[in-house]
Amino acid sequence: MSIHRPQSLALFDGAILSRAAGEAVLKLDPRQLIRNPVMFATALVALFATILTVKDISQPHVAVMAQISAWLWFTVLFANFAEAIAEGRGKAQAASLRGTRTGTIAHQIASIDSANSHDVPAERLRVGDLVVCEAGDTIPGDGDVVAGIATIDESAITGESAPVIRESGGDRSAVTGGTRVVSDRIVVRITADPGQSFLDRMIALVEGAKRQKTPNEIALTILLVGMSLIFLIVVATLPAFASWSGTTIPMVFLIALFVTLIPTTIGGLLSAIGIAGMDRLVTFNVIAKSGRSVEAAGDIDVLLLDKTGTITLGARQAAEFLPLSTVNERDLAEAAFLASLADETPEGKSIVALALSRFALSEPPLARMSFIPFSAHTRMSGVDIDGIEIRKGATDSITAYVANKTGRTLGGMPRDLVQSVEKVAKAGGTPLVVAREDRLLGVIHLKDIIKPGIRARFSTLRAMGIKTVMVTGDNPLTAAAIAAEAGVDDFLAEATPEKKLELIREYQKGGRLVAMCGDGSNDAPALAQADVGVAMNTGTQAAREAGNMVDLESDPTKLIEIVMIGKQLLMSRGSLTTFSIANDVAKYFAIIPALFLASYPQLQALNVMNLASPQSAILSAIIFNALIIIALIPLALKGVRYRPASAETLLKRNLLIYGLGGLIVPFAGIKLIDLAIAALGLA
Amino acid sequence: MDANGILQILIFIALIVGLTPILGGFMSRLFSGERVLLTPVLAPVERGLYRLGGIDPAAEQHWSRYALSLLAFNLAGAVLLYSLQRLQGVLPLNPAEMGAVPPDLAFNTAISFITNTNWQSYGGETTMSHLVQMAGLTVQNFVSAATGIAVAVALIRGFARHNARAIGNFYVDLTRAVLYLLLPICMVGAMILVWQGVPQTLLASVDVNTLEGIKQTIAQGPVASQMMIKHLGTNGGGFFNVNASHPFENPTALVNLIHMVSILAIGAGLTNSFGRMVGDTRQGWALFGAMGTLFVLGITVTYWAEAQGNPAMAALGIDPTLAGSLEGKEVRFGIALSSLFAVVTTAASCGAVNAMHDSLMPLAGMVPLINMMLGEIVIGGVGAGFYGIIIFVIHTMFIAGLMVGRTPEYLGKKIEAKEVKLAVMATLIFPVSALGLGAVALLGGSAAIPAGGPHGLSELLYAYVSATANNGSAFAGFGANTVLHNSLLAFAMLLGRFIVIIPALAIAGALAAKKTVPASVGTFPSHGGLFVGLLTSVILVVGGLTFFPVLALGPIVEHLMLAAGILF
């Protein structure tokens, strides 16, 4: 089995870049620009500056005016370009997930029992329609199996090459459009209209024009608009204050001052950062149904994790045989060996392996044995050899079985059996009791195997301020032992779906944000209640509808990556905002002396960068302002580096890089551009 | 700068630090409805007042109701004060027989006193009757201060409560602030002032023959009663035109100290009340720390710049650093105490002065200007300083929260689009009023500016910044008593007061309704040095980015020109 992930694209893929360049121009459409107020304002003043330049075409200073206008347009185009690249990458990744869906023909039927199907194009299917899929068919849309059982190749979506079983009822009934039926026949009820499937929604999230802004993004946009308005007032009132000293400031210079001051850097990259966050999720094979949930992931403070499959390996391993005092170990091992011969579960295989490693045992001929499979009703399994019944199972079911055989009343469990069972439970294991006919032989210690490396992951989560809670059906004793071994902060033992839901509500009442993952139908209420609910792709349609993300690889530990992506998204926005604001200091030192040098030569003292001329100073500032957007595109796409650490450490680091850096970089940048302008004689 | 001056400044700072937890504890008990020192005496009075006003003290208000009550109360105050001024000629207690105050001036003064600004376009002793001074101005000094405190307390409740609808009752907060806090302190304080030589009389001014044989009119009146609340309530409106540099307002060094301490006492104490009421005093000290950092920066620059003296003196063969720049100062206060008073009065939105700010050196004069431009949050006006700095805290924690990868929160309250929007509104009003109205005033009323060059621009700028910040001090040369400036300045005071109060109350309401999120390792702690440093930087950056261009055209270029030997 190999897990394939969408190719993580080179940061700058040639095809995406050239398409993005074209789209950057198309995105000048005012209806699209208005979604980004800072860039809309920049475009408006760019237009104004262009008109002024055309009006003054015969004036001597028109060359500088034309250059300023051009760079203002570049500022807008660069921002559009950033968004288009992020979009292009997202679409490319989503398309690689989408597989071969287009052009699928569905065999629609009127009712489950109807034998006659008629063919319709997959795009015409609506929620509730029934389709029949047979071996070789491509499933036409997301849906639920309502009749039949089939093996399905889901490699187009998950990359897993081994086919999986999907059947009606139960927890494995969901099918995804684009996957292929390998054997048998199923009837599927379509659960998503065309354009509404998970993948369609995901693609909408990476398209700037359709993307819903997330709550934090809206708040940040308000702040950016507020700052732009402050600078609008500063710039608009400046001519009046300047008039006191008899200075008149050319309109184009005022426009340049305005655009350099407003937060164009973060304004231009904001949309790209959001889309890139979605792109990163797709790289991890996780499909988010809304941007809001990705953002909420960064806020998670409690993580509910199922024990089995997440914290421990799915299968338990037999670790030792604990015979009763009257039984020798070989007898117990042999009985356990025989009872497990036909048991294909990893637990059963491990019992056989353990018994063989301890004693030289041989298999009796098959003909003499009749195997009794495990059933949920009896909660035991075993074998009858020549009429002798050997059984293994849960403590209570085996003791009940023995009591039934001997006709004695319940409750008379041997002391040493009770001791062995407790010993195993305390060690975090599962006791499996073995009996031959009416005689109890002893206990097999089935041990949970903690996944390698999981302890380290939990301490990472703790460093991020996230509490981990293990959810298990085990009794509290066993749960506590495993919890201690795995290093989780808390556990919920003897969990039922109701208890799980209750626990989530309790945490939320205390103001905490909870994430969990689940797959079964009975997980659906908890998934819906959780702030971030990640449904496993192998789960039921109900679970997938209830969660706000779907993990195509069905790997519950991925919650950790999802949280980190959420945090990175917010950090990238915050850091670039800080950078953008810090930049303004240098721009003031470039432009203010330039504007007033004629009236107050003493203000030369503020020209700390020693820029060549007022014209060159203003032009340098505006060029820096445009180029910095391009320079920061890789950062916006990759996201600010996130390393699990306390909030204080993270803030110190980001303030140092983006705050202090934002203060210093433009001084150097503007000076360099000024040198280039002077050398080329542009101003 | 000398050791004596530095020591006096340090003693002053120590007094404020010492008083902060005492007053803070008192106010947190008072506004939580607990028993305080004077409860046995004043509780019946308080109950009587509620019965008189038909107020149910147990009925708490939604923020909108709280805001409406506040606005209605202040409107009534403005109408009353306007009427008193217009009718003073026919009303009693008018020994100097002063006539009606002109409408534009009366309007300006009414707005000025209800907004806790106390901008004075008039000379007190030559314009206002004793009745107006006592029943009009002094009353507003009390209630405008109490209004500010009420808003601060309501905002604190917003943080302290969760899943709550109401933020307190405006009338109860107002009554308690006046009755238990302001009145008792002022009564005791006024006695001390009288003992120190501040007049308290209803007699008219007296005419005396001076030693030089000149006839002089010496104005007097109920000064002491107005002095105490003028500073304690950060009002600043003097009985006399020259304010606290007048020997009757500020006769001794002890009185000068009492004045300065009372200006900062309540504002500083509120940070502590805040810490106590949200259950973590460190939160209060963190805000105090940010305010204190800015204060120490301010006094250092001012004292240094003043002690350097005017370099032009060197041309006359005098070492300017010998005595510092003494022009416009009372010699008995000297450089250190005049600098300290200037920084204190503008750090809080008081506006009382003991030296003429117009005469400060360019860089020293820039500090009071910047103190006001930052929005009066360096301790700030009573209440106003607290809710002002909370606006900055919201901006700071929003950015900081994003930078640590979480939805921003402060004290367990998530800062979302609504809070950001309200904080932006409150921040935006400052440049709209100070720069917007200032620019209109400059284009339409530059005749009021006596000085030329950059200093003239500073005078006008100072007036509009002072009005917006509800400070009330002035670069004294500016002739504000014209219809245009009286009206525009009144407008600036209204915007600067109420367009901050309403968003602050709305924030209080929004916060109170939220649940409180418990802190974790992933939460950025708001009580450490990093927070103080970040908050201080955000305040300086926002203020600096907004006002750098005009500062460059005013005090900065004036300083540079002075260095080059060009004077105005």
Side-chain angles (χ1 to χ4, degrees):
Chain A
M1 269 201 306
S2 75
I3 300 287
H4 111 121
R5 290 201 167 149
Q7 298 251 309
S8 100
L9 296 159
L11 203 50
F12 292 110
D13 177 278
I16 291 178
L17 285 188
S18 58
R19 187 142 18 93
E23 274 183 29
V25 179
L26 292 179
K27 281 173 184 283
L28 286 175
D29 179 345
R31 284 166 303 178
Q32 280 208 47
L33 273 180
I34 194 94
R35 288 174 48 86
N36 186 338
V38 175
M39 279 304 131
F40 186 70
T42 310
L44 274 186
V45 294
L47 186 66
F48 189 39
T50 313
I51 294 169
L52 287 177
T53 310
V54 173
K55 219 178 91 218
D56 285 5
I57 198 79
S58 53
Q59 303 287 323
H61 54 262
V62 76
V64 173
M65 282 173 77
Q67 288 185 70
I68 290 178
S69 309
W71 281 105
L72 290 175
W73 283 116
F74 277 129
T75 312
V76 183
L77 286 173
F78 289 165
N80 289 349
F81 183 58
E83 186 182 80
I85 293 180
E87 255 178 52
R89 287 164 57 83
K91 281 188 201 159
Q93 279 162 339
S96 80
L97 287 176
R98 196 192 265 270
T100 53
R101 187 111 66 87
T102 44
T104 308
I105 295 295
H107 313 297
Q108 194 176 358
I109 50 175
S111 72
I112 294 183
D113 316 315
S114 110
N116 304 328
S117 68
H118 60 281
D119 292 356
V120 292
E123 304 88 73
R124 297 252 302 272
L125 291 173
R126 291 292 176 270
V127 173
D129 285 352
L130 294 172
V131 293
V132 60
C133 303
E134 294 178 314
D137 285 351
T138 299
I139 296 175
D142 290 356
D144 240 349
V145 180
V146 288
I149 176 168
T151 45
I152 294 179
D153 173 11
E154 293 196 335
S155 60
I157 294 286
T158 63
E160 258 186 67
S161 49
V164 293
I165 294 191
R166 292 283 179 262
E167 59 184 316
S168 61
D171 283 352
R172 317 236 144 203
S173 62
V175 290
T176 310
T179 56
R180 204 168 49 82
V181 178
V182 181
S183 71
D184 304 295
R185 170 185 187 275
I186 45 173
V187 178
V188 173
R189 179 186 286 122
I190 298 295
T191 52
D193 283 334
Q196 292 297 310
S197 73
F198 295 135
L199 277 175
D200 291 315
R201 285 196 237 169
M202 184 73 198
I203 289 168
L205 286 180
V206 296
E207 283 181 349
K210 290 185 204 151
R211 204 170 58 92
Q212 288 272 319
K213 282 192 181 132
T214 57
N216 279 317
E217 200 177 353
I218 293 171
L220 180 57
T221 307
I222 293 171
L223 186 71
L224 297 181
V225 169
M227 289 178 52
S228 306
L229 286 174
I230 290 180
F231 290 125
L232 181 65
I233 297 161
V234 170
V235 173
T237 55
L238 200 53
F241 293 115
S243 70
W244 177 251
S245 57
T247 314
T248 43
I249 308 172
M251 185 53 91
V252 175
F253 286 4
L254 278 179
I255 286 175
L257 177 63
F258 175 66
V259 171
T260 51
L261 290 179
I262 63 174
T264 46
T265 312
I266 178 64
L269 295 173
L270 192 55
S271 170
I273 293 171
I275 297 169
M278 297 293 158
D279 293 355
R280 278 197 296 279
L281 265 189
V282 181
T283 328
F284 277 103
N285 256 344
V286 175
I287 293 181
K289 290 199 244 163
S290 72
R292 179 186 282 263
S293 58
V294 183
E295 217 176 69
D299 290 346
I300 288 304
D301 16 40
V302 178
L303 211 51
L304 297 192
L305 295 164
D306 281 325
K307 184 194 81 176
T308 311
T310 310
I311 295 171
T312 62
L313 292 170
R316 286 166 293 203
Q317 301 276 315
E320 57 181 327
F321 297 113
L322 300 167
L324 296 186
S325 50
T326 52
V327 178
N328 71 43
E329 194 187 344
R330 193 194 157 94
D331 285 351
L332 171 63
E334 186 170 17
F337 168 75
L338 294 171
S340 306
L341 271 177
D343 188 346
E344 284 299 311
T345 63
E347 286 93 344
K349 284 181 180 165
S350 78
I351 294 171
V352 171
L354 180 71
L356 285 175
S357 74
R358 309 241 338 128
F359 307 100
L361 302 170
S362 59
E363 282 181 44
L366 265 177
R368 286 169 53 199
M369 299 190 287
S370 118
F371 294 107
I372 314 294
F374 178 86
S375 86
H377 182 65
T378 59
R379 290 169 62 223
M380 55 187 176
S381 63
V383 63
D384 295 348
I385 303 178
D386 305 331
I388 297 170
E389 295 184 8
I390 301 174
R391 295 287 182 273
K392 66 177 173 40
T395 313
D396 51 346
S397 42
I398 294 288
T399 47
Y401 163 81
V402 170
N404 190 32
K405 279 246 166 205
T406 57
R408 270 181 302 175
T409 48
L410 285 171
M413 245 201 283
R415 248 184 101 81
D416 47 352
L417 180 76
V418 176
Q419 275 169 359
S420 296
V421 166
E422 265 180 16
K423 184 183 157 202
V424 171
K426 262 187 200 149
T430 308
L432 212 54
V433 178
V434 184
R436 190 196 293 126
E437 287 293 293
D438 55 356
R439 193 167 165 227
L440 287 165
L441 296 177
V443 177
I444 308 171
H445 180 174
L446 283 183
K447 206 174 164 185
D448 266 311
I449 307 296
I450 308 280
K451 279 191 175 175
I454 200 89
R455 235 192 130 85
R457 299 212 87 179
F458 289 145
S459 63
T460 304
L461 283 167
R462 206 165 300 120
M464 289 158 72
I466 296 171
K467 179 177 174 168
T468 45
V469 180
M470 178 180 87
V471 178
T472 170
D474 292 342
N475 63 61
L477 218 58
T478 313
I482 297 173
E485 194 180 342
V488 291
D489 297 312
D490 205 349
F491 62 87
L492 176 71
E494 289 168 350
T496 58
E498 295 75 36
K499 272 176 127 176
K500 206 164 166 181
L501 184 63
E502 193 48 46
L503 183 72
I504 295 177
R505 288 213 173 114
E506 208 171 290
Y507 276 122
Q508 286 174 336
K509 231 172 160 181
R512 306 202 178 256
L513 262 73
V514 183
M516 67 164 285
C517 47
D519 50 7
S521 286
N522 51 20
D523 281 335
L527 277 172
Q529 179 72 33
D531 300 283
V532 174
V534 183
M536 301 293 105
N537 195 46
T538 53
T540 58
Q541 189 62 30
R544 301 203 303 179
E545 280 300 331
N548 39 27
M549 290 188 203
V550 178
D551 178 10
L552 297 176
E553 288 169 10
S554 305
D555 170 10
T557 58
K558 221 184 272 170
L559 269 173
I560 298 172
E561 270 82 24
I562 295 174
V563 169
M564 286 171 77
I565 288 172
K567 284 192 180 293
Q568 214 182 14
L569 185 64
L570 295 186
M571 277 170 58
S572 304
R573 289 196 197 123
S575 300
L576 287 180
T577 304
T578 309
F579 186 84
S580 197
I581 298 168
N583 274 201
D584 281 357
V585 176
K587 292 170 187 167
Y588 261 142
F589 278 97
I591 295 183
I592 292 297
L595 292 182
F596 301 113
L597 213 52
S599 317
Y600 294 127
Q602 293 81 5
L603 281 177
Q604 179 64 27
L606 294 182
N607 183 9
V608 289
M609 285 171 272
N610 199 16
L611 304 177
S613 71
Q615 286 78 9
S616 152
I618 291 167
L619 197 53
S620 305
I622 203 99
I623 293 176
F624 176 84
N625 195 52
L627 290 183
I628 196 72
I629 295 181
I630 288 285
L632 290 175
I633 289 179
L635 184 69
L637 295 183
K638 279 190 305 186
V640 166
R641 202 163 65 91
Y642 176 75
R643 196 163 36 83
S646 76
E648 190 144 2
T649 317
L650 285 176
L651 186 65
K652 261 185 207 151
R653 179 177 165 275
N654 286 336
L655 276 179
L656 206 65
I657 298 177
Y658 300 99
L660 198 63
L663 216 55
I664 295 167
V665 167
F667 278 101
I670 292 175
K671 177 67 188 171
L672 285 176
I673 296 171
D674 177 72
L675 288 175
I677 288 176
L680 296 172
L682 290 175
Chain B
M1 288 172 103
D2 53 41
N4 180 290
I6 293 172
L7 186 67
Q8 297 198 59
I9 292 168
L10 288 179
I11 289 174
F12 171 77
I13 292 174
L15 275 173
I16 295 299
V17 173
L19 268 176
T20 296
I22 300 172
L23 261 177
F26 174 79
M27 288 189 286
S28 79
R29 284 194 301 281
L30 175 63
F31 292 108
S32 310
E34 293 169 31
R35 251 179 101 82
V36 290
L37 187 66
L38 292 168
T39 304
V41 188
L42 293 175
V45 182
E46 190 189 348
R47 279 195 299 273
L49 285 171
Y50 294 148
R51 210 164 307 131
L52 211 64
I55 291 154
D56 173 10
E60 294 219 327
Q61 296 169 315
H62 184 250
W63 79 264
S64 53
R65 185 105 212 126
Y66 199 101
L68 277 177
S69 308
L70 182 148
L71 292 176
F73 180 81
N74 278 278
L75 177 66
V79 171
L80 177 73
L81 186 52
Y82 180 82
S83 315
L84 276 175
Q85 293 178 76
R86 298 289 292 143
L87 299 172
Q88 70 171 1
V90 297
L91 292 172
L93 285 178
N94 186 10
E97 292 177 357
M98 296 196 229
V101 180
D104 60 308
L105 180 58
F107 171 67
N108 178 286
T109 307
I111 298 302
S112 171
F113 276 73
I114 64 154
T115 55
N116 198 252
T117 311
N118 297 25
W119 170 269
Q120 293 168 295
S121 286
Y122 59 92
E125 65 272 43
T126 55
T127 317
M128 302 294 175
S129 74
H130 288 346
L131 182 76
V132 174
Q133 296 263 26
M134 291 171 74
L137 304 182
T138 309
V139 166
Q140 286 306 320
N141 279 352
F142 275 95
V143 292
S144 69
T147 299
I149 295 172
V151 176
V153 169
L155 185 52
I156 294 174
R157 289 198 190 106
F159 284 106
R161 293 179 177 183
H162 52 92
N163 307 90
R165 229 192 128 260
I167 54 170
N169 184 315
F170 171 71
Y171 296 108
V172 173
D173 291 338
L174 181 86
T175 309
R176 292 213 171 123
V178 173
L179 204 58
Y180 291 87
L181 181 69
L182 300 175
L183 266 179
I185 298 179
C186 285
M187 279 178 166
V188 176
M191 297 296 179
I192 299 173
L193 296 191
V194 171
W195 162 54
Q196 286 288 307
V198 178
Q200 178 74 13
T201 171
L202 291 179
L203 297 177
S205 47
V206 289
D207 292 332
V208 294
N209 286 310
T210 65
L211 288 177
E212 290 109 346
I214 310 165
K215 214 173 141 180
Q216 191 182 344
T217 305
I218 296 179
Q220 56 178 356
V223 184
S225 58
Q226 191 175 330
M227 275 315 97
M228 210 43 222
I229 186 61
K230 155 191 156 192
H231 299 111
L232 188 69
T234 59
N235 297 284
F239 192 93
F240 302 104
N241 192 21
V242 291
N243 212 299
S245 49
H246 193 291
F248 280 175
E249 285 202 13
N250 197 354
T252 65
L254 178 64
V255 172
N256 192 54
L257 183 66
I258 292 175
H259 285 345
M260 289 193 298
V261 169
S262 6
I263 291 173
L264 295 189
I266 293 182
L270 274 172
T271 61
N272 192 266
S273 308
F274 164 68
R276 286 168 196 262
M277 288 169 81
V278 300
D280 182 2
T281 43
R282 293 174 306 176
Q283 304 292 346
W285 286 115
L287 296 189
F288 185 88
M291 294 169 161
T293 309
L294 291 168
F295 181 82
V296 170
L297 271 176
I299 182 61
T300 309
V301 171
T302 308
Y303 187 29
W304 172 82
E306 286 299 303
Q308 291 306 300
N310 191 331
M313 300 283 278
L316 304 172
I318 303 166
D319 179 3
T321 62
L322 208 59
S325 168
L326 275 173
E327 190 214 298
K329 295 190 181 63
E330 277 281 289
V331 185
R332 60 203 172 98
F333 297 129
I335 298 295
L337 291 184
S338 300
S339 302
L340 182 60
F341 204 109
V343 175
V344 166
T345 195
T346 50
S349 74
C350 182
V353 293
N354 78 350
M356 293 300 107
H357 290 187
D358 197 34
S359 301
L360 295 174
M361 299 303 296
L363 287 187
M366 188 164 78
V367 172
L369 200 49
I370 289 177
N371 271 342
M372 296 187 293
M373 285 169 170
L374 298 181
E376 294 290 23
I377 42 71
V378 186
I379 304 295
V382 286
F386 176 78
Y387 58 73
I389 202 163
I390 288 294
I391 302 289
F392 278 107
V393 169
I394 289 176
H395 292 314
T396 306
M397 290 309 274
F398 183 73
I399 297 292
L402 288 184
M403 277 206 282
V404 302
R406 273 176 80 93
T407 293
E409 63 201 44
Y410 179 54
L411 301 176
K413 300 287 189 179
K414 288 218 183 299
I415 300 170
E416 291 163 297
K418 186 174 183 188
E419 291 76 41
V420 172
K421 195 192 292 174
L422 291 164
V424 161
M425 198 192 288
T427 311
L428 202 55
I429 201 61
F430 209 93
V432 165
S433 173
L435 292 178
L437 295 178
V440 173
L442 183 66
L443 296 177
S446 59
I449 304 172
H455 192 74
L457 185 67
S458 299
E459 287 180 341
L460 175 117
L461 191 63
Y462 195 103
Y464 280 83
V465 168
S466 172
T468 306
N470 296 146
N471 183 283
S473 66
F475 270 6
F478 185 63
N481 195 4
T482 65
V483 174
L484 176 81
H485 290 303
N486 275 337
S487 315
L488 282 179
L489 287 169
F491 195 44
M493 292 186 269
L494 280 175
L495 290 178
R497 178 77 165 173
F498 295 107
I499 306 300
V500 182
I501 282 184
I502 295 171
L505 286 175
I507 289 173
L511 292 177
K514 284 178 198 264
K515 52 186 177 187
T516 305
V517 185
S520 75
V521 192
T523 323
F524 169 54
S526 55
H527 53 71
L530 187 60
F531 169 77
V532 172
L534 189 61
L535 175 60
T536 314
S537 317
V538 166
I539 293 170
L540 285 175
V541 166
V542 170
L545 291 181
T546 313
F547 291 104
F548 182 74
V550 283
L551 287 175
L553 288 174
I556 292 176
V557 76
E558 189 188 352
H559 170 77
L560 294 171
M561 290 168 104
L562 178 67
I566 304 167
L567 302 176
F568 296 98

